[in-house]
Amino acid sequence: MSDAPTATGPLRGNLTQGPLTRTLLVFALPQLIGNVLQSLNGSINAIWVGQLLGDEALAATANSNILMFLLFALVFGFGMAATVRIGQAWGANDVITARRILGAALGLTGAISLVMATLGILFADKVLDLLATPGAAHDQALAYLRVVFIANPIATITTMIAMSLRGAGDAATPLRFMILATVLDVALNPVLILGLGPAPALGIAGSAWATVIATSIGFVAMIGWIYAKDLPLRLRGAELAWLCPRWQETQYLLSRGLPMGAQMLIISGAGVIMIGLVNREGLVTAAAYGALLQIWNYIGMPAMAIGAAVSAMVAQHIGAGREDRVDAISRAGSLANLAMTGLMIAALVPFDRPVLELFLGASSPSVAAALHIQDLAIWTYLPFGITIVLFGTLRAYGVIYAQLAVLFTAMYAVRLGAYYLLYPVLGPDALWYSFLLSSVTSLALTLLTYFKLPWRKRMLARIISAREGVPA
């Protein structure tokens, strides 16, 4: 495989060719499947822990997962920054720049994850105290966390490689090894929790060790595949020195990655506030909302997958100098998301009662509450899905802080403001109407940003300047 940019045609994984909608959907589908697998993995492992070890152990993993999500937000930011820059380089047939960015991203996030894992192991006890983890769950959460932190550097690097491969138009390779890791994780959980066969009985730590082993095997297998297939986005020989990033690449990843990660923190922070407001309404409403979150998590997956695919596609079109197709990509992604999310909602609504009864039980009073909430709030995912898709285009152009402003305004100012204004009139239903108003506001502000703010010419000039200034 030549290290020079391809002169005779587009690189393998180029997303600037062919029908837009078909290319977009084919590229987004593996990521959508991967998102579903990750959620199923978490749900099945939660069932193993809850059924085999009880409620205290399940609460322990829930508290631990809060911390792991915060670390994921950081990785997501740097991963999206790398995806965009690699996509731009791939569209320009510039393999060397793509590899440089990959090396820089792996070096930077690898170092950060090692530090965070070390600190996590040392101070996990103190962090759990800050979270006010219930005493009954505290010791189990501590045992679980200290093992999971061992896997964090490997999981971080695996995620970074997967996101970078998607930037290079390869969504199939990450999916292969996510399937492998997921199957291993699910299978090893009961073996290591209970000590089946020759395995020791490790209790809740066994669930954590299952994740460590599955993640490690998936990582080694993916690296072996990349080099066995000589995929273009690999580092070899002198290129391994790029794992020690120059300031130029580091500055780019920090300036783009930190605010992208902050978007995840804003969304998760709004979710925490929402749970607090729901808890005020009592156990029935809280249980109903908890069950709905399990379902809504899947409803939101098409937007996340299509938004990431749009970001990679637009980045490649920027690199290839084909900005004339950018609006068409955004339109195709928005329509595809509306169709997929709408179909999922239409398929769910006739069967929402039996689905909710799986989580709550047929005789639970929370079922009726959940059905009422769903009738009011599930439509939120239609406008918010378009927002996420358009965010993908804006992210490819480096428009990041406007997205932060949109999310903060919609999820805090509008949602909380509407809640407090409407509560005296609507009571608990103010929660769900504020949810819908927030979603519609986020779409309106995003459309304003997309069509009215003068970001295209300015950001394109910066991208071209940066591209020309990075030596091959």
Side-chain angles (χ1 to χ4, degrees), residues 270-284:
V272 170
I273 292 173
M274 192 72 178
I275 288 174
L277 295 175
V278 169
N279 287 341
R280 293 183 181 182
E281 302 302 325
L283 182 59
V284 169

Side-chain angles (χ1 to χ4, degrees), residues 248-332:
Q248 189 169 5
E249 288 90 7
T250 302
Q251 184 181 35
Y252 172 84
L253 290 170
L254 290 173
S255 64
R256 297 291 192 273
L258 290 176
M260 288 182 186
Q263 293 178 24
M264 296 292 292
L265 295 178
I266 287 177
I267 293 173
S268 61
V272 170
I273 292 173
M274 192 72 178
I275 288 174
L277 295 175
V278 169
N279 287 341
R280 293 183 181 182
E281 302 302 325
L283 182 59
V284 169
T285 302
Y289 186 63
L292 285 170
L293 285 180
Q294 293 288 331
I295 299 170
W296 291 349
N297 185 41
Y298 293 94
I299 299 295
M301 284 182 182
M304 299 301 294
I306 293 173
V310 164
S311 190
M313 279 191 71
V314 172
Q316 288 201 13
H317 279 74
I318 291 171
R322 301 195 64 185
E323 289 83 12
D324 57 298
R325 287 168 38 117
V326 166
D327 285 337
I329 295 171
S330 299
R331 184 165 55 252

Side-chain angles (χ1 to χ4, degrees), residues 82-147:
T83 297
V84 167
R85 189 67 189 94
I86 288 171
Q88 292 168 4
W90 219 250
N93 284 8
D94 187 352
V95 178
I96 300 302
T97 294
R99 291 179 187 167
R100 278 190 179 277
I101 292 295
L102 173 61
L106 291 177
L108 178 62
T109 56
I112 292 174
S113 65
L114 284 173
V115 172
M116 295 301 295
T118 302
L119 293 175
I121 293 171
L122 293 175
F123 297 106
D125 191 15
K126 301 295 184 184
V127 174
L128 290 172
D129 288 340
L130 289 174
L131 289 173
T133 303
H138 182 281
D139 291 344
Q140 294 197 65
L142 182 60
Y144 182 85
L145 257 184
R146 283 179 169 164
V147 176

Side-chain angles (χ1 to χ4, degrees), residues 255-267 391 394 399-412 445-446 449:
S255 64
R256 297 291 192 273
L258 290 176
M260 288 182 186
Q263 293 178 24
M264 296 292 292
L265 295 178
I266 287 177
I267 293 173
F391 272 11
L394 294 170
V399 182
I400 303 168
Y401 292 101
Q403 295 182 43
L404 287 173
V406 167
L407 290 174
F408 188 86
T409 301
M411 293 189 161
Y412 292 85
L445 292 176
T446 301
T449 302

Side-chain angles (χ1 to χ4, degrees), residues 23 32 148 156 159 213 228 247 304-305 344 375 390 425 449 459 463:
T23 302
L32 177 58
V148 167
T156 297
T159 301
I213 294 169
W247 172 242
M304 299 301 294
M344 291 182 71
D375 287 342
L390 295 181
V425 179
T449 302
M459 299 311 297
I463 290 168

